[in-house]
Amino acid sequence: ASKSPRHFLSISELSPTELSTLVNNATAYKHSALQPTWPQRNALSNKTIALLFSKLSTRTRVSTEGAVVAMGGHPMFLGKNDIQLGVNESLYDTSVVISSMVSGIVARVGPHADIANLAKDSSVPVINALCDTYHPMQIVADFATLTQAFGTPAEKLNGLKIAWVGDANNVLFDMCIGARKLGIEMAVATPKGYEIPAKIKDEVDAAGRGTIFETNTPEEAIKGANIVVTDTWISMGQESEKQKRLQAFAGYQVTEELAKRGGAAEDWKFMHCLPRHQEEVSDEVFYGPRSLVFPEAQNRLWSAISTIEAFVVNRGEIRPPK
Ligand code: CP
């Protein structure tokens, strides 16, 4: 039997060196990967990559389609109304059939178990484009954004402090795991009742060096932070909790005043993986000079190129560009 492929479902599957390499490659590929001289521009020639998206997406869809095209391949987008992903057909059948016809699968699903099941039976690499628990390509882009903003390679980001102010969600979980692996200090402020679940905390603690400080007071998390990060308070599938969540997150909007009260570093930067809603961050911060949100979004393209190259082209061998 042929060896099972290496999949990429969470940052936790990477060694610290592999994470640094994926991040540094993303930064190295910024713009160069679209040049005719890029050595990997035909790496996926005559190959199809299936993009299975059971949820809406702007950045992940555009970046992964663009990444496949940058390597000369064909991205086949299959939305939730196109195929029978977990509806009317088992994930096992879907995985075996699709993986027999393509060279890689990028999938956005609901429960983590869905992507784990897809991967288990796939004969080609499966890359997580977001599930309820993880969002690894986002974190590669976020850390690449930090390497660019602070002018340092990923393995030297460990002098920074990130403050997360908001909901404990899939982006936060992979960010905490990645921060542990790179030794970045992290502080997390969530409202009472919205903290990181114990099972994820154990996974974060097992991920390596660094510290994660948790609090229910945004100002405590922000103290000395070089980067303040937030995300939506209402993730896809939580729409019915909107009113309850808006109340619970009162006082969590990232503003200049909050950062000042909390004692953020003078030149603190702001990140948000988008889409953004106004209650999460003031316009002054979001559109102001501290904001890294648009380079962060564009880094999704370089993150997707770095990730698809590593897992599909190089079959899970994560190495610096030749
Ligand atoms: N940040 C992010 O994943 O954006 P999309 O949901 O638009 O892909």
Side-chain angles (χ1 to χ4, degrees):
S2 62
K3 193 169 162 274
S4 349
R6 183 176 183 190
H7 307 294
F8 184 37
L9 306 191
S10 158
I11 293 291
S12 64
E13 294 152 6
L14 303 173
S15 71
T17 304
E18 287 177 328
L19 174 57
S20 293
T21 304
L22 273 188
V23 170
N24 291 336
N25 286 1
T27 290
Y29 293 156
K30 192 163 177 129
H31 307 301
S32 73
L34 300 186
Q35 300 303 314
T37 48
W38 189 47
Q40 299 283 38
R41 69 187 292 253
N42 293 314
L44 292 176
S45 176
N46 296 318
K47 294 199 161 106
T48 298
I49 306 300
L51 309 178
L52 313 186
F53 278 54
S54 68
K55 290 181 167 185
L56 293 175
S57 168
T58 299
R59 283 139 289 269
T60 311
R61 175 175 179 178
V62 173
S63 61
T64 51
E65 285 209 29
V68 173
V69 170
M71 287 179 265
H74 172 66
M76 181 185 283
F77 183 80
L78 299 164
K80 84 177 168 71
N81 296 323
D82 296 321
I83 58 159
Q84 322 214 42
L85 185 66
V87 181
N88 196 34
E89 187 166 36
S90 71
L91 284 170
Y92 173 86
D93 294 0
T94 306
S95 178
V96 171
V97 169
I98 293 182
S99 68
S100 72
M101 292 189 262
V102 303
S103 300
I105 295 174
V106 175
R108 170 168 283 205
V109 299
H112 179 67
D114 284 2
I115 195 145
N117 280 329
L118 266 180
K120 180 164 66 67
D121 301 306
S122 170
S123 57
V124 299
V126 173
I127 296 173
N128 187 354
L130 177 143
C131 67
D132 288 351
T133 318
Y134 305 110
H135 198 1
M137 281 195 289
Q138 179 69 55
I139 299 312
V140 172
D142 286 358
F143 287 173
T145 306
L146 295 181
T147 68
Q148 293 152 29
F150 290 91
T152 181
E155 58 276 16
K156 299 231 167 103
L157 290 174
N158 57 355
L160 296 177
K161 175 179 174 180
I162 299 176
W164 177 281
V165 176
D167 192 22
N169 67 5
N170 44 10
V171 176
L172 172 67
F173 302 158
D174 257 342
M175 186 177 282
C176 286
I177 293 166
R180 270 274 161 124
K181 284 181 189 282
L182 297 186
I184 299 170
E185 185 182 352
M186 245 193 112
V188 177
T190 54
K192 276 201 172 66
Y194 293 87
E195 292 89 353
I196 301 173
K199 188 168 167 288
I200 301 287
K201 230 180 283 177
D202 290 346
E203 196 181 341
V204 170
D205 286 342
R209 64 206 171 106
T211 57
I212 309 287
F213 168 75
E214 283 188 274
T215 173
N216 300 121
T217 307
E219 288 85 345
E220 275 182 17
I222 284 171
K223 194 171 171 43
N226 307 97
I227 309 107
V228 180
V229 191
T230 191
D231 191 5
T232 182
W233 297 345
I234 303 145
S235 291
M236 285 181 274
Q238 296 172 336
E239 292 77 6
S240 64
E241 299 174 30
K242 184 170 177 185
Q243 285 317 319
K244 193 176 95 174
R245 282 178 167 264
L246 288 178
Q247 273 180 359
F249 285 81
Y252 274 69
Q253 189 191 44
V254 177
T255 61
E256 286 287 347
E257 295 71 36
L258 178 68
K260 201 166 183 183
R261 261 197 330 272
E266 205 168 312
D267 57 349
W268 67 277
K269 301 288 182 205
F270 175 73
M271 296 212 308
H272 188 310
C273 71
L274 312 183
R276 170 252 183 172
H277 311 94
Q278 198 159 16
E279 64 267 16
E280 298 142 12
V281 50
S282 66
D283 279 355
E284 184 188 14
V285 171
F286 187 80
Y287 293 110
R290 300 185 183 284
S291 179
L292 301 176
V293 297
F294 294 118
E296 178 185 6
Q298 200 227 13
N299 279 327
R300 294 297 309 274
L301 176 59
W302 319 118
S303 157
I305 291 175
S306 170
T307 303
I308 293 171
E309 183 207 29
F311 285 88
V312 180
V313 176
N314 297 336
R315 303 289 292 181
E317 193 194 325
I318 302 172
R319 56 178 188 242
K322 285 203 169 125

